[in-house]
């Protein structure tokens, strides 16, 4: 093997060591060797070796050019300081949070994927050095460490989106995620009620004292609306005369809100224009809503709370008092 060609040695099953001999350092007089351990196949180790050789060749070419420039009296252009991917992602998610164009829940998910599944694997790399091979190796290691296909797919999409912005801001020439296939996630069969189960559910609801919880289940069963849409419904959006409800907002749970000292629930608009819609109600559901509206108004009135157009349809009637105040009474139910 010639100096600089690189060697690949099998350490143990699934792990190979790549070594490239750079010869004797003229300053330290010691042999300089670059060594990397690669998890995967021998072919993947070969790709790492070839990538290292390319980087070494490019660095030597840059050094040769710098030397020529010095000889010709040309001042070297100051190179940009390295920007570790972990540092960039921290800045990126803070910028997205400040823009207020994403929900708190979405930002929390981004932060979790970056903290747990991206930064530990790629965070120390300079953003301009990131290559498709690094992304592929990250996928392999994350799977070995227990990342589910769905989690890895979501984390890949976060990284791809962040690097797309980095390319737009001219921090890197291209997005390496574009050259890597997005991990596939297993398709989950959605649970649903067959007609007999729906009838049994209605029977249980009919035999149970009406509360915000039972109304939420009844509305979900009658309309097919999402959980957040049902819990975010207010009386202003209920037209009992014409037997319709209007979906204009959704209630979302905010993860980590207590730790950050923020609200645990937030109201958000539908993600798309199609999310704003009107849904017809059957006669039985209208009848139950009329009775529930009357009962809710009476229960709230007992605690000095007036039912308004802005009152949640599925309002909590939980009246536990903290410091003489019932903070949950008349408010939105907890989505979880």
């Amino acid at each position: 093997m010639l100096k600089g060609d690189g060697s690949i040695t099998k350490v143990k099953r699934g792990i190979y060591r790549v070594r490239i001999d750079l010869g004797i350092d003229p300053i330290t007089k010691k042999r300089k060797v670059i060594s990397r351990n690669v998890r995967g196949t021998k072919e993947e180790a070969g790709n790492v070796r070839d990538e290292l050789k390319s980087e070494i060749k490019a660095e030597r070419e840059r050094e040769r050019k710098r030397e020529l420039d010095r000889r010709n009296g040309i001042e070297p252009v100051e190179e940009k300081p390295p920007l570790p991917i972990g540092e960039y992602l921290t800045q990126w998610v803070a910028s997205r949070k400040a823009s207020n164009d994403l929900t708190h829940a979405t930002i929390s998910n981004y932060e979790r994927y970056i903290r747990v599944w991206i930064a530990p694997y790629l965070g120390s790399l300079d953003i301009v050095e990131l290559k498709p091979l690094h992304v592929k190796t990250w996928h392999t290691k994350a799977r070995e460490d227990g990342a589910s296909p769905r989690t890895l797919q979501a984390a890949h999409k976060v990284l791809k989106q962040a690097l797309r912005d980095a390319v737009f801001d001219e921090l890197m020439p291209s997005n390496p995620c574009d050259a890597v296939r997005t991990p596939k996630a297993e398709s989950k069969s959605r649970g649903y009620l067959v007609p007999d189960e729906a009838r049994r559910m209605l029977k249980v609801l009919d035999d149970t004292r009406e509360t915000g919880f039972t109304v939420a289940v009844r509305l979900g069963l009658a309309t097919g609306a999402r959980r957040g849409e049902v819990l975010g419904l207010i009386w202003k959006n209920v037209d009992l005369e014409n037997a319709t409800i209007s979906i204009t907002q959704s209630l979302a749970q905010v993860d980590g809100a207590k730790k950050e000292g923020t609200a645990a629930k937030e109201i958000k608009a539908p993600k798309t224009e199609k999310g704003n819609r009107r849904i017809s109600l059957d006669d039985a559901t209208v009848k139950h809503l009329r009775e529930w509206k009357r009962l809710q108004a009476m229960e709230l009135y007992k605690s000095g709370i007036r039912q308004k157009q802005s009152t949640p349809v599925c309002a909590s009637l939980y009246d536990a008092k903290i410091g003489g105040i019932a903070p949950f009474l008349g408010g939105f139910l907890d989505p979880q």
Side-chain angles (χ1 to χ4, degrees):
M1 180 188 70
L2 297 175
K3 183 177 67 177
D5 281 353
S7 66
I8 299 175
T9 306
K10 186 174 182 179
V11 178
K12 59 182 180 180
R13 186 176 180 181
I15 299 180
Y16 293 85
R17 178 170 293 132
V18 175
R19 297 179 83 250
I20 298 180
D21 186 349
L22 301 180
I24 302 298
D25 190 302
I27 298 176
T28 64
K29 306 302 180 182
K30 294 181 180 179
R31 185 169 295 278
K32 189 175 181 181
V33 177
I34 294 179
S35 179
R36 296 282 191 277
N37 284 344
V38 179
R39 291 178 180 270
T41 64
K42 188 173 183 179
E43 181 182 357
E44 289 174 323
N47 291 335
V48 171
R49 178 199 59 194
D50 294 342
E51 190 170 306
L52 285 173
K53 287 169 64 178
S54 296
E55 291 175 0
I56 292 168
K57 181 179 179 181
E59 179 56 34
R60 284 174 172 168
E61 181 61 29
R62 285 193 292 269
E63 182 56 38
R64 188 185 68 84
K65 185 176 183 304
R66 284 194 291 266
E67 180 60 30
L68 286 174
D69 288 344
R70 280 194 293 268
R71 290 178 183 178
N72 294 324
I74 300 174
E75 290 294 327
V77 177
E78 186 177 348
E79 295 183 357
K80 292 181 179 179
L83 176 59
I85 292 173
E87 183 179 329
Y88 168 72
L89 290 175
T90 299
Q91 296 172 0
W92 175 78
V93 78
S95 174
R96 295 306 307 270
K97 186 175 184 178
S99 68
N100 287 324
D101 59 353
L102 295 175
T103 66
H104 193 291
T106 299
I107 291 295
S108 295
N109 286 333
Y110 282 6
E111 291 174 333
R112 184 173 68 254
Y113 289 131
I114 291 170
R115 182 180 68 255
V116 179
W117 293 113
I118 303 177
Y121 302 86
L122 302 172
S124 61
L125 276 173
D126 186 353
I127 194 169
V128 297
E129 294 179 352
L130 186 66
K131 301 292 189 294
L133 180 60
H134 292 125
V135 179
K136 292 178 182 177
T137 303
W138 161 49
H139 288 175
T140 301
K141 291 182 178 179
R143 280 192 290 265
E144 291 174 352
D145 290 342
S148 69
R150 189 167 296 277
T151 294
L152 190 54
Q153 181 189 71
H156 178 91
K157 289 180 177 179
V158 170
L159 179 63
K160 187 173 183 178
Q161 183 178 346
L163 296 184
R164 187 183 302 132
D165 289 345
V167 173
F168 182 80
D169 292 334
E170 299 183 353
L171 296 176
M172 59 193 312
S174 61
N175 188 344
C177 287
D178 289 339
V180 180
R181 187 175 299 172
T182 302
K184 288 186 177 180
E186 70 280 5
S187 58
K188 290 186 177 181
S189 57
R190 293 183 178 274
Y192 59 90
L193 300 181
V194 297
D196 282 347
E197 291 172 329
R199 281 189 283 271
R200 284 169 53 199
M201 174 69 80
L202 283 172
K203 179 66 167 61
V204 171
L205 293 176
D206 289 342
D207 292 342
T208 303
R209 181 177 180 272
E210 206 78 274
T211 67
F213 292 101
T214 62
V215 171
V217 176
R218 191 182 295 280
L219 280 170
L221 190 62
T223 65
R226 297 176 178 85
R227 177 187 65 174
E229 293 173 336
V230 169
L231 296 182
L233 197 65
I234 57 177
W235 286 114
K236 176 183 177 181
N237 300 127
V238 178
D239 185 348
L240 294 176
E241 294 302 318
N242 294 302
T244 63
I245 61 172
S246 297
I247 302 297
T248 62
Q249 62 185 25
S250 179
L251 183 69
Q253 183 79 22
V254 179
D255 295 330
K258 184 176 180 181
K259 183 178 179 181
E260 296 183 11
T262 57
K265 294 170 283 194
E266 67 177 355
I267 289 292
K268 59 181 182 179
K271 290 183 177 180
T272 64
E273 188 58 36
K274 288 184 178 179
N276 290 293
R277 62 198 188 280
R278 183 172 294 179
I279 303 175
S280 297
L281 301 175
D282 60 274
D283 292 342
T285 301
V286 171
K287 180 180 178 182
H288 279 282
L289 282 178
R290 287 186 187 278
E291 178 58 25
W292 166 243
K293 188 175 185 181
R294 183 192 66 79
L295 176 63
Q296 183 196 73
M298 182 174 63
E299 291 298 320
L300 292 177
Y301 183 75
K302 290 179 182 178
S303 298
I305 299 174
R306 179 185 173 189
Q307 186 186 69
K308 302 176 182 178
Q309 287 286 76
S310 59
T311 299
V313 173
C314 305
S316 171
L317 297 184
Y318 181 59
D319 60 357
K321 293 186 177 181
I322 302 175
I325 301 174
F328 306 108
L329 189 63
F332 290 102
L333 290 178
D334 188 329
Q336 294 183 354

